[in-house]
Amino acid sequence: MLEVDLFSCYTFAGDCLRRRGGITMGGIHEGHRARMRTKLMESGERVFADHELLEVLLYYAIPRRDTNELAHRLLEQFGSLQGVLSASAQELACVKGVGEYAAALIKLVPILQRRAARSAKEQILNSVDKCGAYFTALLSGSRREMLWQVCLDGKGKVLSSRCLAEGDVSMAAVSVRQVVEYALHAGAVGVVLAHNHPSGVALPSQADVVVTRQAREALAPLRIVLRDHIIVAHRDYVSMAESGLLAD
């Protein structure tokens, strides 16, 4: 009902603006948008090409301009829909026709995806495979380096997760105290760390190993176990624990 009401308000406002000569998009485009929305609601995304889905998304940031051409331009610039969604706001803004609102809307999509992944109920990370799958889904689409900490209860259920750093990430730049304080705040029994290498391979640096071990040693007296540190690259991952890199 909310979508219908919003569309009715939008149509009424458009009629008023047309009568005053203050709108640039004609009835042809308005009819096209209405048909595209109806098609999406009735048939789902499977009948849409990537550029059409992006076109529809852009309706809500660019209300009175044809967004089909801009959708094609974005896909040409970034190579794929995943490339568009992974681009930074600054990179998006460099594309002709992308304003502040459009860049913010596009960036909101992967943000919501990550939040949904973090907040899913009863997620159990009690094996290397489950940890690898969790962090691959969370990090593999990001073009920026990110370092995450997940706090677990005794059965491996996710209590909370948090991005500790973003940008030029290395474990050496992260405070061990930061890891400990977040674990205590969450009431964690176990902790899993993870970071990604967007343009590299899923191998930890020596600094990653050293600081991860320091974090494990700082958590141990508090009866909190650092269970693993996962490194993600594209759709691949490496477990420090499974690789024996956390052993003394």
Side-chain angles (χ1 to χ4, degrees), residues 149-229:
Q149 176 177 341
V150 168
C151 295
L152 309 172
D153 70 5
K155 296 181 179 180
K157 185 175 79 173
V158 175
L159 299 173
S160 61
S161 60
R162 178 181 182 182
C163 181
L164 298 178
E166 183 174 358
D168 186 13
V169 171
S170 70
M171 276 302 295
V174 175
S175 166
V176 171
R177 178 177 176 179
Q178 187 179 358
V179 174
V180 172
E181 287 181 347
Y182 182 48
L184 288 172
H185 179 74
V189 173
V191 165
V192 179
L193 299 172
H195 73 278
N196 62 322
H197 294 167
S199 58
V201 294
L203 292 175
S205 67
Q206 185 59 35
D208 292 337
V209 175
V210 170
V211 181
T212 302
R213 288 178 177 176
Q214 290 175 351
R216 182 196 60 182
E217 292 167 3
L219 290 166
L222 304 171
R223 297 184 178 179
I224 301 172
V225 179
L226 197 156
R227 300 189 184 280
D228 209 341
H229 187 155

Side-chain angles (χ1 to χ4, degrees), residues 1-11:
M1 289 301 294
L2 179 60
E3 291 177 355
V4 173
D5 290 341
L6 286 174
F7 178 69
S8 299
C9 292
Y10 173 76
T11 303

Side-chain angles (χ1 to χ4, degrees), residues 11-44:
T11 303
F12 174 76
D15 289 341
C16 293
L17 284 168
R18 274 196 304 276
R19 285 195 292 270
R20 296 178 184 179
I23 191 167
T24 59
M25 187 179 73
I28 294 176
H29 289 318
E30 290 180 15
H32 173 70
R33 288 188 173 202
R35 288 191 296 273
M36 291 287 277
R37 282 190 290 260
T38 299
K39 181 180 176 182
L40 180 61
M41 293 299 102
E42 293 181 351
S43 303

Side-chain angles (χ1 to χ4, degrees), residues 83-197:
V84 174
L85 297 179
S86 300
S88 68
Q90 292 78 12
E91 289 172 324
L92 291 168
C94 291
V95 177
K96 182 181 178 183
V98 176
E100 179 184 353
Y101 292 165
L105 182 62
I106 291 170
K107 290 306 302 174
L108 186 60
V109 175
I111 289 171
L112 289 171
Q113 289 175 330
R114 290 195 293 268
R115 179 62 62 88
R118 288 163 49 195
S119 61
K121 294 181 179 179
E122 297 297 321
Q123 283 193 293
I124 306 296
L125 304 185
N126 57 3
S127 70
V128 170
D129 288 342
K130 289 181 179 179
C131 288
Y134 177 90
F135 287 112
T136 299
L138 185 68
L139 294 170
S140 62
S142 176
R143 296 176 63 188
R144 290 172 61 82
E145 292 183 51
M146 305 174 76
L147 174 66
W148 283 79
Q149 176 177 341
V150 168
C151 295
L152 309 172
D153 70 5
K155 296 181 179 180
K157 185 175 79 173
V158 175
L159 299 173
S160 61
S161 60
R162 178 181 182 182
C163 181
L164 298 178
E166 183 174 358
D168 186 13
V169 171
S170 70
M171 276 302 295
V174 175
S175 166
V176 171
R177 178 177 176 179
Q178 187 179 358
V179 174
V180 172
E181 287 181 347
Y182 182 48
L184 288 172
H185 179 74
V189 173
V191 165
V192 179
L193 299 172
H195 73 278
N196 62 322
H197 294 167

